[in-house]
Amino acid sequence: MSDLVSLPADFNPDLTLCGGQAFRWTPIAAAPSAAAYQGVVGDAVLTVVRADHGNWQVRLLNHPPTPTWRRRICAYFDLDRDYRAAHHLVVERLRRLSGTAAWTPTTDPLGAFFNQLAGLRLLRQPWFETLVSFVVSANNHLPRIRQIIDIISRTFGQPLGDDHYAFPTPEALAAADPATLRTVCRVGYRDRYLSRLAQQISRDRRFWEHAATLPTAALRQALRTLPGVGPKVAECVLLFGFHRWEAFPVDVWVRRALAILLGDPSPPSPAADRRRIAAVAATLGSVAGLAQQYLFELMRRRLITGSLSGNHRV
């Protein structure tokens, strides 16, 4: 059995692994002329490398490539989904929002760039790690978030060999001294949120073990009862941790992309902003989550005009 899992021909590792939905992946040099990416998923250490024929492939480094592990890797990269169809649906619905029958580089600033994003996939990540990561993400930028998650894993997670560490369990994080979280892990004021959040999940472990079976509305409500979890973090966890594609996280970049898309640059009142976001999410429907990641990437990569700085997820 091969120890490699092939990814689709259009898979884009930078968009997927380094675009703000996951924080355990690092670009590495696999060879003088080739890039690779290394990451930790649960208790698995993975590398994504480019094969001779050009496609990207995944190698599992610390477990034998059993059928069970291959299925887990396929699930993590969401390989059973038709992303070509999802891409076309995202573009169609964003076009509908803009009120533009056809996009060209001269008629709409977004239209020329969507095909560059077709290799983006939404990962099926461990939900507790995703929850902690997005609580940490508030008012933070991507390199710092990655650094904090790495330190938390090294401090409280199980070693996996070769200087890799699993993300800690809720119980391990619940037992952590908040002062250690603040000073060693550098989470700042979030120390009290992370400690209380992990303790609450540990107490309600049976509920959270079955949380993935809840309807989205009920799961959203449950997430928002956790310390440090507001509306935006809850949407991120729904999308990136529980793979609810109808979730629609809106940060400052997505909000500005929507202003360009809708042709309405003036900031609305908070109530009007909530109504507008709800209407956009309803129009995008089953591909809202993928659409918001497209909008985020358009702004992150400066593919549309805007005066922005830093790779924040705020």
Side-chain angles (χ1 to χ4, degrees):
M1 178 184 297
S2 171
D3 65 344
L4 296 170
V5 175
S6 292
L7 297 173
D10 66 348
F11 176 78
N12 186 313
D14 186 59
L15 287 171
T16 301
L17 304 177
C18 302
Q21 61 171 307
F23 306 101
R24 301 297 305 277
W25 287 94
T26 305
I28 59 174
S33 61
Y37 299 78
Q38 191 163 87
V40 178
V41 180
D43 65 345
V45 181
L46 306 175
T47 57
V48 173
V49 296
R50 192 188 290 277
D52 292 340
H53 54 71
N55 282 23
W56 292 91
Q57 296 181 316
V58 186
R59 174 176 281 118
L60 178 62
L61 299 185
N62 64 330
H63 293 284
T66 62
T68 297
W69 272 109
R70 292 176 66 83
R71 285 194 295 271
R72 291 180 184 179
I73 291 171
C74 289
Y76 177 78
F77 286 97
D78 203 22
L79 297 187
D80 290 336
R81 188 183 299 269
D82 183 351
Y83 271 81
R84 186 181 299 273
H87 170 78
H88 289 305
L89 192 55
V90 166
V91 174
E92 174 194 331
R93 291 184 179 176
L94 289 174
R95 181 183 295 122
R96 187 188 309 167
L97 279 172
S98 74
T100 306
W103 280 339
T104 71
T106 57
T107 61
D108 189 283
L110 294 173
F113 306 115
F114 279 104
N115 285 342
Q116 299 182 39
L117 305 179
L120 192 160
R121 305 181 79 85
L122 295 179
L123 303 169
R124 290 181 174 271
Q125 301 180 65
W127 69 267
F128 179 66
E129 179 180 334
T130 305
L131 172 61
V132 171
S133 297
F134 279 98
V135 170
V136 166
S137 77
N139 300 308
N140 244 329
H141 55 78
L142 296 183
R144 181 166 173 79
I145 299 166
R146 294 187 186 107
Q147 181 184 54
I148 291 172
I149 297 305
D150 180 65
I151 297 173
I152 288 175
S153 301
R154 290 173 179 273
T155 306
F156 303 110
Q158 291 295 316
L160 302 176
D162 293 329
D163 203 33
H164 297 290
Y165 294 82
F167 193 78
T169 64
E171 291 74 21
L173 203 58
D177 181 356
T180 302
L181 287 169
R182 182 172 59 255
T183 58
V184 176
C185 302
R186 307 175 189 174
V187 303
Y189 68 88
R190 305 167 193 86
D191 58 345
R192 61 185 183 273
Y193 294 137
L194 296 182
S195 181
R196 289 163 45 210
L197 177 152
Q199 291 170 11
Q200 185 169 328
I201 288 173
S202 297
R203 287 194 303 269
D204 300 333
R205 197 70 158 107
R206 181 172 296 181
F207 171 85
W208 287 103
E209 285 174 351
H210 297 91
T213 65
L214 293 174
T216 297
L219 183 53
R220 178 182 287 115
Q221 184 176 1
L223 286 167
R224 291 182 63 174
T225 68
L226 296 172
V229 179
K232 183 258 180 178
V233 170
E235 292 301 300
C236 288
V237 179
L238 282 170
L239 178 60
F240 302 125
F242 289 99
H243 219 62
R244 305 299 174 90
W245 273 42
E246 65 272 31
F248 190 61
V250 176
D251 61 9
V252 64
W253 287 27
V254 172
R255 186 171 275 106
R256 292 181 185 182
L258 285 174
I260 294 173
L261 178 72
L262 301 173
D264 182 15
S266 59
S269 68
D273 183 58
R274 287 192 295 271
R275 290 193 297 271
R276 181 168 73 176
I277 289 171
V280 168
T283 299
L284 295 170
S286 62
V287 292
L290 184 61
Q292 76 80 36
Q293 199 65 8
Y294 275 30
L295 294 174
F296 175 76
E297 284 296 333
L298 286 171
M299 300 302 283
R300 184 172 82 99
R301 294 169 177 274
R302 308 298 195 272
L303 296 179
I304 52 178
T305 57
S307 177
L308 302 171
S309 62
N311 289 338
H312 291 74
R313 292 239 71 167
V314 298

